[in-house]
């Protein structure tokens, strides 16, 4: 194969491949930007930001903390939640569907209830929680980019092998042919490097973007939980105990007298 023919193919193909890498880089960066913007818009709702967290900081716990801060609910030392007199006032609403659903669940009860019991047994609260989670718009994935099409890579590899075979059999004569041969070799080497360049172009910024999403999703706890921890740490502790209990004690939250068996009131 002649050096001029090899150079006339290797150089244009190399230019096309690097142009493709630039286009992929721009498109990937734009996709990541859209994904981060959508995540930021969804997580602007602190209850949505709490979805998927470990239970001490999830959306249910945050809703209960909001009700406690607003004075619509009280929690006793056993973790039993009760609506306060203010809960009957139509003007005193939590202002968010999730704490409103939790308050409605407590108002439907004839006795105090634990947070764990409501979450486990109250069908209407479970439905409200599912609807709240389903209301989140589809979020674009920010992670490692998809693999490129294998067919395209096979074509590039076939072209590389063809050029390598041709270059190995070359016997250039004169400065012009040597220049063409060196141009062909430079194109082949650049194409070998292109595989790494293209891989980086597909994943431009994906690690930083994924870290940014994790920071948004696993940042500070819900403002209500933070405020309750500052204002009344004991209430926050009781709220956690309430979540761990799935049924209310028989003594309805009253302290048992010392020495009284558990089954005796």
């Amino acid at each position: 194969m002649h050096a001029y023919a090899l150079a006339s193919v290797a150089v244009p193909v190399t230019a096309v491949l690097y142009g493709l890498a630039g286009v992929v880089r721009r498109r990937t960066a734009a996709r990541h930007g859209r994904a981060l913007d959508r995540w930021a818009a969804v997580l602007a709702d602190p209850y949505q930001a709490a979805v998927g967290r470990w239970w001490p900081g999830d959306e249910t716990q945050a809703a209960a903390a909001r009700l406690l801060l607003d004075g619509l609910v009280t929690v006793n030392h056993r973790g039993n939640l009760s609506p306060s007199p203010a809960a009957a006032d139509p003007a005193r609403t939590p202002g968010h569907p999730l704490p409103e659903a939790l308050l409605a669940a407590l108002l439907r009860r004839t006795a105090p209830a634990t947070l764990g019991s409501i979450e486990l047994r109250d069908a209407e609260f479970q439905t409200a929680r599912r609807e709240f989670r389903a209301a989140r718009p589809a979020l674009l994935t920010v992670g490692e980019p998809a693999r490129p099409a294998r067919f395209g890579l096979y074509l590039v590899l076939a072209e590389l092998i063809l050029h390598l075979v041709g270059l190995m059999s070359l016997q250039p004569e004169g400065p012009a042919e040597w220049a063409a041969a060196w141009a062909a070799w430079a194109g082949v080497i650049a194409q070998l490097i292109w595989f790494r360049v293209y891989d980086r172009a597909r994943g431009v910024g994906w690690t930083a973007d994924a870290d940014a999403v994790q920071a948004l999703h696993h940042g500070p706890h819900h403002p209500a939980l933070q405020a309750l921890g500052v204002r009344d740490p004991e209430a926050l502790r009781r709220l956690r105990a309430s979540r761990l209990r799935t049924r209310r004690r028989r003594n309805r939250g009253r302290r048992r007298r010392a020495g009284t068996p558990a089954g005796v009131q």
Side-chain angles (χ1 to χ4, degrees):
M1 190 174 292
H2 204 281
Y4 297 137
L6 290 174
S8 65
V9 175
V11 174
V13 168
T14 303
V16 170
L17 290 177
Y18 276 86
L20 174 63
V23 171
V24 169
R25 176 182 292 272
R26 287 193 296 271
R27 293 184 63 181
T28 303
R31 180 173 62 86
H32 287 176
R34 291 194 300 271
L36 287 178
D37 290 343
R38 192 171 298 184
W39 268 96
V42 169
L43 299 183
D45 180 353
Y47 291 96
Q48 285 286 6
V51 171
R53 288 187 172 182
W54 190 43
W55 71 264
D58 68 0
E59 71 276 17
T60 301
Q61 208 74 7
R66 182 75 271 164
L67 295 177
L68 285 173
L69 288 170
D70 291 345
L72 299 174
V73 163
T74 61
V75 59
N76 67 10
H77 64 284
R78 295 190 183 278
N80 296 321
L81 297 170
S82 306
S84 69
D89 185 356
R92 298 283 301 277
T93 59
H96 192 279
L98 204 58
E100 287 175 1
L102 180 57
L103 180 60
L106 288 169
L107 291 172
R108 285 192 298 270
R109 302 241 172 177
T110 58
T114 64
L115 192 57
S117 175
I118 292 174
E119 185 183 43
L120 182 65
R121 296 185 176 87
D122 195 291
E124 293 186 38
F125 178 73
Q126 291 174 354
T127 300
R129 191 182 183 195
R130 281 195 301 269
E131 291 176 351
F132 172 72
R133 292 189 171 195
R136 171 185 286 193
L139 295 174
L140 300 178
T141 301
V142 180
E144 187 171 0
R147 297 289 181 184
R150 291 186 178 181
F151 181 71
L153 291 181
Y154 292 157
L155 286 177
V156 176
L157 286 172
E159 183 265 343
L160 270 174
I161 292 172
L162 179 64
H163 276 78
L164 285 171
V165 171
L167 287 168
M168 296 298 292
S169 62
L170 275 182
Q171 293 181 350
E173 296 180 0
E177 288 191 14
W178 273 107
W182 280 114
W185 272 112
V188 169
I189 294 171
Q191 288 177 34
L192 290 171
I193 298 173
W194 173 84
F195 283 93
R196 181 59 177 168
V197 172
Y198 183 76
D199 189 62
R200 289 182 176 179
R202 290 186 306 111
V204 58
W206 77 264
T207 302
D209 288 347
D211 291 343
V213 167
Q214 291 299 315
L216 285 171
H217 196 194
H218 301 289
H221 278 227
H222 190 282
L225 290 169
Q226 296 182 61
L228 187 62
V230 173
R231 184 189 301 182
D232 192 348
E234 178 62 19
L236 184 62
R237 187 193 65 78
R238 292 179 179 182
L239 200 59
R240 291 179 178 177
S242 179
R243 183 69 172 276
L244 293 174
R245 290 180 50 208
T246 57
R247 59 179 67 246
R248 194 172 53 83
R249 296 281 181 87
R250 290 182 59 190
N251 63 4
R252 299 178 182 271
R254 296 190 299 272
R255 289 187 180 275
R256 211 165 36 240
R257 292 190 301 272
T260 304
V264 178
Q265 299 296 323

